[in-house]
Amino acid sequence: MADFKHKDIIALRDLTKEEIERLLTTAESMREINNRDIKKVPTLRGKTIINLFYEASTRTRTSFEIAGKRLSADTVNITPSSSSATKGETLADTALNLLAMKPDIIVMRHAVSGSHYFLSKKLPSCSIINAGDGTHEHPSQGLLDMLTMKDKFGRLDNLKVAIIGDITHSRVARSNIQGLTKMGSQVFLAGPPTMMPPGAELLGNVTVCCTMKEAIQDADVVMMLRIQQERQGKTLMPNAREYSRYFGLNPENIKLAKPDAMVMHPGPINRGVEMSSYVVDGDQSHVLKQVENGVAVRMAMLYHVCGGELE
Amino acid sequence: MAAEKTVILDGAGVRRALTRISHEILERNKGLANVVLIGIRSGGAYLAAEIGDSLAVIEGEKAAVGAVDITLYRDDISGQIPHLPVGKTEIPFSLEGKKVILVDDVLFTGRTIRAAMDALMDHGRPDSIQLAVLIDRGHRELPIRADFVGRNVPTSLKENVQVIFDSENKPVEVILEK
């Protein structure tokens, strides 16, 4: 297997199939640490990780923080309410100021798509990990979703994965599309026409379906997306009840998928909108497994970007 | 780059060495009570399995066998090498109060053993750790010594000692490359 030689992890689009496999294999090994009494290894001792979150997050930020701490790095969290961004500082200035404190890795979430590429150019000496940028990518979520699928099926090729919901605004969907199609799985998308980007079929090797039924028919994985009210205007759907009726996952339509199909959701879940509580808490739900795998995947990402001898 | 290869231990030789190590382990620990074998990935883990089998034949009871991957405990990991793949550490039992036989294929600088001991300590507090190696090639950089040695092989720093395993992870031979 080829060595992982990237300084940054910004998008799964930038990684090869082999590099994704390497990250997942490392994550599988990292999992053992999370089940010990002493959940810590000395690997990143003396490294400083700054978690720079311009958007709200509980799961991802906590997960990156725990991942850093389990590898013995020092982690510092900066959130919008406590940062200078509210006082008008630009991203470039914030970045240069942080750099003066010599961090080794900056994990950033930002509302502007592609902002990490800008940051990476500004900070050539520091590794940048994307924890979600606008509507572009969310690579750690894509990787943890794939790890959860690999746990269940033992492979990532020839799976039928249905992704349902607000595709336009979903960076989770984009990362999963990039990753899964590279691994050789088929992705089917469905959502209200107002939430389907024009030219969605150009996102990669995907099939755009007109109805949810078509997409989840015989699916191995049904991935439900959150309705992102903070990113949408008010006009994308008439109301939550109507959305739920046509694009919500419930005990009835889930029967269209394969009997052992897994149900996933990146969280946070709007119960009763994209998924009924019955499904969220049902046997097929892997939502908490996803969160558990998140820590291991992020440990793998932090570990691999810290390697030296870059080309 | 045609390196000169010499076989320093053939298949039968490896088997005899492992059998003798097994007897020595039994003698030193007066049986297998509380003895566990932990191999260092990957060569040491294969050898730990072999020693485990051999102990079972001699003593008629089985010792628990685990494997430890030391990549995350290396002392040269910080920014000098592209990050190596991380193998799985599999120790599905508690080490509290156990006599751990740590198994490696080739003992060289001792840094791997240091890393492995740190890893084991993070899994609990064993009663003792004893070190079994198939080859001791010298050149220690840390105060570490093996309790059970298959063969002492004086080497120069330019040489390379390798234990060769077949596709079923059984040891085939030990070679010295110049």
Side-chain angles (χ1 to χ4, degrees):
Chain A
M1 235 188 268
D3 283 324
F4 191 93
K5 283 184 177 165
H6 292 278
K7 174 178 88 76
D8 308 320
I9 301 178
I10 297 178
L12 294 189
R13 184 210 294 261
D14 304 335
L15 302 182
T16 62
K17 182 180 179 212
E18 288 71 29
E19 287 165 339
I20 292 173
E21 279 169 352
R22 167 61 66 88
L23 284 168
L24 295 178
T25 311
T26 303
E28 284 174 316
S29 298
M30 293 292 185
R31 224 164 7 197
E32 174 264 331
I33 298 162
N34 299 327
N35 294 321
R36 291 185 195 170
D37 287 341
I38 301 173
K39 299 176 185 59
K40 210 176 186 65
V41 292
T43 318
L44 298 187
R45 211 169 31 180
K47 304 270 184 198
T48 304
I49 301 173
I50 294 181
N51 289 328
L52 182 59
F53 278 66
Y54 284 98
E55 285 191 317
S57 163
T58 314
R59 238 173 312 269
T60 308
R61 184 173 53 76
T62 313
S63 184
F64 265 114
E65 187 178 354
I66 290 175
K69 290 193 155 126
R70 297 217 167 135
L71 292 170
S72 295
D74 297 307
T75 57
V76 182
N77 293 320
I78 300 176
T79 44
S81 57
S82 69
S83 84
S84 307
T86 51
K87 300 175 193 161
E89 190 173 58
T90 64
L91 176 59
D93 283 335
T94 304
L96 291 171
N97 276 284
L98 292 176
L99 190 66
M101 300 177 216
K102 311 263 183 265
D104 298 283
I105 304 174
I106 293 180
V107 178
M108 183 171 80
R109 169 169 287 190
H110 200 284
V112 178
S113 302
S115 46
H116 294 75
Y117 292 110
F118 169 77
L119 192 69
S120 173
K121 261 191 215 145
K122 282 267 169 208
L123 310 179
S125 64
C126 179
S127 289
I128 310 294
I129 292 181
N130 181 1
D133 58 334
T135 59
H136 173 225
E137 277 219 40
H138 190 348
S140 64
Q141 182 74 40
L143 289 168
L144 74 89
D145 288 340
M146 287 195 278
L147 182 62
T148 312
M149 292 178 212
K150 196 179 167 202
D151 285 344
K152 165 133 174 102
F153 297 107
R155 62 179 158 85
L156 285 171
D157 56 339
N158 294 316
L159 295 175
K160 179 180 176 184
V161 181
I163 304 181
I164 314 291
D166 182 359
I167 308 292
T168 306
H169 296 97
S170 178
R171 51 197 178 205
V172 175
R174 282 175 185 73
S175 281
N176 270 293
I177 291 168
Q178 285 296 330
L180 286 165
T181 53
K182 270 178 191 165
M183 305 313 281
S185 282
Q186 287 84 46
V187 177
F188 293 74
L189 305 175
T194 49
M195 300 183 195
M196 188 63 73
E201 57 281 352
L202 302 176
L203 286 172
N205 184 17
V206 298
T207 310
V208 179
C209 303
C210 295
T211 64
M212 177 175 175
K213 228 170 142 180
E214 243 178 279
I216 64 176
Q217 186 76 48
D218 296 320
D220 296 292
V221 180
V222 181
M223 186 181 295
M224 303 304 295
L225 300 174
R226 181 174 62 93
I227 292 302
Q228 304 198 28
Q229 265 136 7
E230 78 274 19
R231 271 182 238 283
Q232 303 179 343
K234 292 252 183 267
T235 51
L236 293 186
M237 60 178 190
N239 59 50
R241 260 186 72 195
E242 183 171 328
Y243 179 84
S244 159
R245 189 157 152 209
Y246 289 102
F247 293 98
L249 191 64
N250 56 51
E252 272 315 304
N253 60 15
I254 198 176
K255 288 177 191 154
L256 293 168
K258 286 194 182 146
D260 66 337
M262 53 195 292
V263 173
M264 302 175 80
H265 191 294
I269 300 171
N270 298 310
R271 279 178 188 255
V273 183
E274 60 260 13
M275 277 162 93
S276 75
S277 275
Y278 181 89
V279 179
V280 178
D281 303 323
D283 294 340
Q284 285 171 276
S285 167
H286 285 67
V287 175
L288 294 176
K289 190 82 198 148
Q290 287 173 272
V291 179
E292 188 185 333
N293 279 335
V295 176
V297 157
R298 288 168 181 127
M299 288 167 80
M301 294 170 82
L302 294 172
Y303 169 75
H304 279 297
V305 296
C306 264
E309 300 265 308
L310 299 162
E311 275 177 344
Chain B
M1 216 182 78
E4 196 185 315
K5 286 183 189 173
T6 329
V7 176
I8 48 181
L9 214 53
D10 60 8
V14 172
R15 266 197 310 282
R16 280 183 213 115
L18 293 178
T19 308
R20 180 172 51 73
I21 288 174
S22 306
H23 280 288
E24 286 175 4
I25 290 171
L26 289 168
E27 190 180 7
R28 163 88 69 97
N29 296 288
K30 303 183 178 66
L32 280 182
N34 288 324
V35 170
V36 299
L37 294 161
I38 308 273
I40 299 175
R41 290 220 185 270
S42 43
Y46 304 149
L47 293 178
E50 293 296 306
I51 294 176
D53 290 347
S54 141
L55 288 172
V57 170
I58 301 165
E59 199 69 3
E61 57 177 309
K62 282 197 165 162
V65 180
V68 63
D69 184 277
I70 58 116
T71 314
L72 297 172
Y73 289 85
R74 290 174 68 110
D75 57 8
D76 56 356
I77 202 130
S78 194
Q80 291 149 36
I81 43 171
H83 273 179
L84 301 160
V86 182
K88 281 201 176 76
T89 290
E90 284 168 305
I91 307 182
F93 41 81
S94 163
L95 296 182
E96 292 292 325
K98 292 285 171 16
K99 298 179 200 166
V100 175
I101 314 291
L102 186 60
V103 183
D104 202 2
D105 47 4
V106 180
L107 178 57
F108 184 24
T109 60
R111 287 178 192 267
T112 301
I113 306 302
R114 193 283 308 163
M117 287 196 291
D118 279 358
L120 291 183
M121 293 302 185
D122 280 356
H123 281 267
R125 185 179 185 281
D127 240 18
S128 64
I129 299 179
Q130 300 160 31
L131 177 60
V133 298
L134 183 56
I135 304 292
D136 181 352
R137 61 168 292 192
H139 304 290
R140 218 77 76 238
E141 291 167 5
L142 296 173
I144 282 169
R145 165 185 71 72
D147 299 274
F148 312 103
V149 182
R151 170 78 63 92
N152 281 296
V153 182
T155 58
S156 87
L157 278 171
K158 286 181 199 148
E159 291 166 330
N160 184 25
V161 179
Q162 255 194 314
V163 181
I164 309 292
F165 294 90
D166 66 12
S167 57
E168 288 167 354
N169 301 330
K170 302 278 180 203
V172 180
E173 59 186 13
V174 183
I175 57 167
L176 178 75
E177 285 178 332
K178 281 184 188 165

